[in-house]
Amino acid sequence: MSAATTSIQGSRRGKRRGPGLAPYFFVAPFAVAFVLFLLSPLLVAVWSSLFTVKRSGLGFGGTKTSVFVGLSNYQAALQDKQFMSGFGRVLLFGVVQVPLMLGLALLFALLIDSTLVRFKKTAQIVLFIPYAVPAVIAALLWGFLYQPGVSPIVKGLRGIGLDVNFLAPGSVLWSTANITTWCYVGVNMVMIYSALQAIPQDIYEAARIDGASEARIAWSIKIPMIMPTLIVTLFLSIIGTIQLFNEPTVLRTVTSNVSSDFTPLMSIVNTAFAQKNQSLGSAMSVIVALVAFVLSGVINLAQRKWEEKA
């Protein structure tokens, strides 16, 4: 009797153990990568932004000491006209480019998902190919197409009486927007199209029986049901806009109308490495991270409210 009781208690203890270490084993790679490549650099940047380097002496015999300055670097960053101008350009860039890019991605996804397009796989591949091209290579390609002396596009426009300079001070920002739109429409289209494929086809058939057109189905059924995916693509696009760096940096090699402080990230690189002021560069990095964090919170809040309404 005691042996049976012992076995029952042992089986109960085994049931109470739970999953053990298995979940931690699967989560560990992400946790390690998060700490090493995101959290640790951010903490180092915050710590570095609170100090500044004071140099004393002349020539090779000088000494460098770190001095605690509190929030002085943040004050200097917010008073830096070039850095704040970069934020203004990125804001204007995002207000125009992000809706245009997501609008095109949504339009292409709806067209491919409809009965109007026959070769759906081919259309997806053609639209996705630009995303497979590295951003630097794409910027080099478009930089060649923008240069007035060698561009076939500029020569063709001049042939019909249009004198266009894509690298002029007033148009270089939109030339950059064209590159990013060309690169990222395809991947956003794939995300939206995947969400459309998850919608039950019975809903479409019922709507067609009721006499709804393809445009009506898209507006009243498809778009509302994929709204969470649209919010995710909006979130990724806004974060990408804040991190705009590759395209204007490459265009800077072909035109003088792109300065070293054209975007916030370019300003950070210029301050930290060209000017060798890593403390101020760290403060700028923390400011950019805070802006991205606030925007992420706003988008997350909007997504939750949409889900509650739905």
Side-chain angles (χ1 to χ4, degrees):
M1 190 71 177
S2 60
T5 304
T6 303
S7 63
I8 293 174
Q9 291 177 350
S11 62
R12 288 178 179 176
R13 289 173 184 171
K15 291 181 181 179
R16 292 175 183 174
R17 280 184 176 180
L21 298 176
Y24 302 99
F25 177 78
F26 289 104
V27 174
F30 168 78
V32 172
F34 177 79
V35 171
L36 289 179
F37 300 108
L38 185 62
L39 185 60
S40 295
L42 182 60
L43 293 177
V44 170
V46 172
W47 178 260
S48 177
S49 67
L50 301 176
F51 293 84
T52 189
V53 176
K54 297 291 185 180
R55 293 175 174 85
S56 61
L58 298 174
F60 294 100
T63 59
K64 296 187 295 184
T65 57
S66 295
V67 180
F68 180 79
V69 293
L71 301 178
S72 297
N73 286 319
Y74 293 94
Q75 183 179 1
L78 295 175
Q79 292 176 351
D80 189 327
K81 294 182 179 179
Q82 299 299 327
F83 179 61
M84 300 309 295
S85 296
F87 267 111
R89 290 191 195 94
V90 165
L91 176 61
L92 181 61
F93 179 94
V95 168
V96 176
Q97 190 268 342
V98 171
L100 176 63
M101 178 182 64
L102 295 184
L104 289 174
L106 176 61
L107 176 62
F108 291 143
L110 291 173
L111 287 174
I112 295 174
D113 188 63
S114 68
T115 57
L116 302 176
V117 178
R118 295 181 58 186
F119 304 101
K120 300 181 183 295
K121 295 295 183 182
T122 303
Q124 291 180 61
I125 293 173
V126 170
L127 291 170
F128 186 78
I129 283 177
Y131 179 71
V133 179
V136 174
I137 303 301
L140 288 172
L141 171 64
W142 280 100
F144 167 78
L145 296 176
Y146 288 153
Q147 293 187 61
V150 296
S151 172
I153 298 176
V154 174
K155 291 181 180 179
L157 292 174
R158 286 178 178 175
I160 59 175
L162 296 176
D163 189 8
V164 179
N165 185 1
F166 294 106
L167 300 176
S171 59
V172 68
L173 180 64
W174 310 120
S175 298
T176 306
N178 174 66
I179 299 174
T180 55
T181 302
W182 182 79
C183 289
Y184 295 106
V185 162
V187 66
N188 286 288
M189 179 275 299
V190 170
M191 294 175 63
I192 297 171
Y193 180 73
S194 300
L196 289 171
Q197 293 298 293
I199 300 176
Q201 298 294 320
D202 297 342
I203 300 177
Y204 301 154
E205 294 177 2
R208 292 188 181 101
I209 292 174
D210 290 339
S213 62
E214 291 294 329
R216 182 65 177 177
I217 292 173
W219 181 258
S220 300
I221 298 176
K222 294 182 178 180
I223 293 178
M225 295 192 72
I226 63 170
M227 188 58 67
T229 302
L230 293 178
I231 294 176
V232 171
T233 57
L234 175 63
F235 166 75
L236 296 176
S237 300
I238 290 176
I239 298 302
T241 299
I242 297 173
Q243 297 175 347
L244 183 65
F245 180 80
N246 291 329
E247 293 82 359
T249 300
V250 173
L251 290 182
R252 187 168 179 261
T253 62
V254 298
T255 178
S256 59
N257 293 322
V258 178
S259 64
S260 59
D261 302 308
F262 195 75
T263 67
L265 258 63
M266 293 177 68
S267 183
I268 291 171
V269 172
N270 179 56
T271 301
F273 297 101
Q275 301 179 16
K276 297 182 180 180
N277 192 344
Q278 296 184 359
S279 299
L280 181 57
S282 298
M284 291 178 174
S285 300
V286 174
I287 292 173
V288 172
L290 287 175
V291 171
F293 178 78
V294 171
L295 291 176
S296 302
V298 171
I299 296 173
N300 188 28
L301 181 62
Q303 183 176 7
R304 289 184 178 181
K305 288 186 176 181
W306 176 266
E307 292 175 354
E308 290 175 359
K309 290 181 180 179

